[in-house]
Amino acid sequence: MNLVMILHVLPSKKMTNSNNQVYSEIRFDWDRKEILKILNMPLIDLMWESQTIHRKFNKYDIQLASLFSVKTGGCEENCSYCSQSIYSASEIKSHPQFQVEEVLARAQIAKNEGADRFCMGWAWREIRDGKSFNAMLEMVSGVRDLGMEACVTAGMLTEEQASKLAEAGLTAYNHNLDTSPEYYKNIITTRTYEDRLDTIKRVRNAGINVCCGGIIGLGETNGDRASLLKVLSNMDPHPESVPINSLVAIEGTGLEDNQEIDSIEMIRMIATARILMPKSKIRLSAGREKLSKEAQILCFQCGANSIFYGDELLTTSNPSFQSDRKLLKEVGVSFNKDFETPEKTLSSL
Ligand code: SAM
Ligand code: DTB
Ligand code: SF4
């Protein structure tokens, strides 16, 4: 019996999330063993199964999410992959928080380039109340006024902060689990896995969409990848978006010497995430510069339906707007339907 058949015979669950989408035939009870079996399936079968599920639940369109680092560097956490941690010796340029107008000008550029979502990052352990938070709220409502989805990633938050962000119109909050509960302590020790899960619960309870994923290439095993996917796919409802990053090994970080992952591992991770979370946006995230055009196309085929779009991630580079547009046109998937004139670009700043 193949996976599609399994999905048909398993007891299904109908429920609605905060956006009143009806979920059916979607499971929240995957166990690690069956996930590992999917991850390790012959690649040709895994690609077939994931594409079948993707075609059943989604259209072939790709969400373009631009990323901007509103506050860079000086973070108190010790995430060993991160150039922005005070524990890293990376030579990144720290930058105090950008002003609201500057951030909205960047969002406008991203919109002109065809992005439908604008993600703003703060190198913080947790959101701090006061001037910076008030500015964050203005940025969120400003991005929404541009007609874009707004996403924030700024560390842990309180219930009150979450509800203020919801009021400001925040579409999604990104807070990654990064890896499995078992491997996590090898990567970060300044906050716990439970802390991360609590933050995600507060986001969900405030009615904000959850953006939660992880990183491969941290030195974890396939079993760890299965455990991470188990935690994500047992969230009910599933996170609306699931970024799958591959480690960008940045000089000066604790993981600078980690071996680069093979692109097939990324394809396997994306395909498995698609099978487990059929309707989530699976975002092919950091590390795309190391993937060939063909590997990216296979990721789209297996269910990736979002990318980070724009020349920069937070402190590292990403494929250019132009090259991504060319790639997506070549593949024949659709992206932002409102996007007309690529010429309205950086020159408008
Ligand atoms: N400080 C906030 C936090 O940790 O939630 C927000 C920013 S943080 C940079 C967002 C996420 O980016 C991390 O949780 C991690 O999953 C991902 N990330 C950071 N550095 C990375 C790297 N070098 N390679 C791949 N992913 C990375
Ligand atoms: C996510 O999962 N990946 C993005 C975003 N969410 C914030 C960040 C990737 C960062 C890559 C390394 C850097 O540019 O510093
Ligand atoms: Fe800080 Fe986020 Fe980097 Fe961790 S990943 S060090 S919390 S900016």
Coordinates of all heavy atoms in Angstrom, one line a residue, residues 78 106 140 183-184 214 236 327 346:
N78 N 23.1 31.8 22.4 CA 24.4 31.2 21.8 C 24.1 30.1 20.7 O 24.8 29.1 20.6 CB 25.2 30.5 23.0 CG 24.5 29.3 23.6 OD1 23.4 29.0 23.3 ND2 25.2 28.7 24.5
R106 N 12.0 49.5 2.2 CA 12.5 48.2 1.8 C 11.4 47.2 1.4 O 11.4 46.5 0.5 CB 13.3 47.5 2.9 CG 14.6 48.3 3.3 CD 15.5 48.5 2.2 NE 16.1 47.3 1.7 CZ 17.4 47.2 1.6 NH1 18.3 48.1 1.9 NH2 17.9 46.0 1.1
V140 N 4.7 46.5 11.2 CA 3.7 45.5 10.8 C 2.5 46.1 10.1 O 2.1 45.7 9.0 CB 3.3 44.7 12.0 CG1 2.1 43.8 11.7 CG2 4.5 43.9 12.6
Y183 N 18.7 16.6 19.9 CA 20.0 17.1 19.4 C 20.2 18.6 19.8 O 21.3 19.2 19.8 CB 20.1 17.0 17.9 CG 21.5 17.2 17.4 CD1 22.6 16.4 17.7 CD2 21.7 18.3 16.5 CE1 23.8 16.6 17.2 CE2 23.0 18.6 16.0 CZ 24.1 17.7 16.4 OH 25.3 18.0 15.9
Y184 N 19.1 19.2 20.2 CA 19.0 20.7 20.4 C 20.1 21.2 21.4 O 20.7 22.2 21.1 CB 17.6 21.0 21.0 CG 17.3 22.4 21.3 CD1 16.9 23.3 20.3 CD2 17.5 23.0 22.6 CE1 16.7 24.6 20.5 CE2 17.3 24.3 22.8 CZ 16.9 25.1 21.8 OH 16.7 26.5 22.0
G214 N 13.1 24.4 10.7 CA 14.4 24.0 11.2 C 15.5 24.1 10.2 O 15.4 24.7 9.1
D236 N -1.2 20.8 16.1 CA -2.6 20.7 15.6 C -3.2 22.1 15.8 O -3.5 22.4 17.0 CB -3.3 19.6 16.3 CG -4.7 19.4 15.8 OD1 -5.1 20.2 14.9 OD2 -5.4 18.5 16.3
L327 N 14.3 31.6 -13.0 CA 14.2 30.2 -12.6 C 12.7 29.8 -12.6 O 12.3 28.8 -13.1 CB 14.8 29.9 -11.2 CG 14.6 28.6 -10.6 CD1 15.3 27.5 -11.4 CD2 15.1 28.5 -9.2
L346 N 15.1 48.6 -7.6 CA 16.0 49.3 -6.7 C 16.2 50.7 -7.1 O 16.4 51.6 -6.2 CB 17.3 48.6 -6.6 CG 17.3 47.3 -5.8 CD1 18.6 46.5 -6.0 CD2 17.3 47.7 -4.3

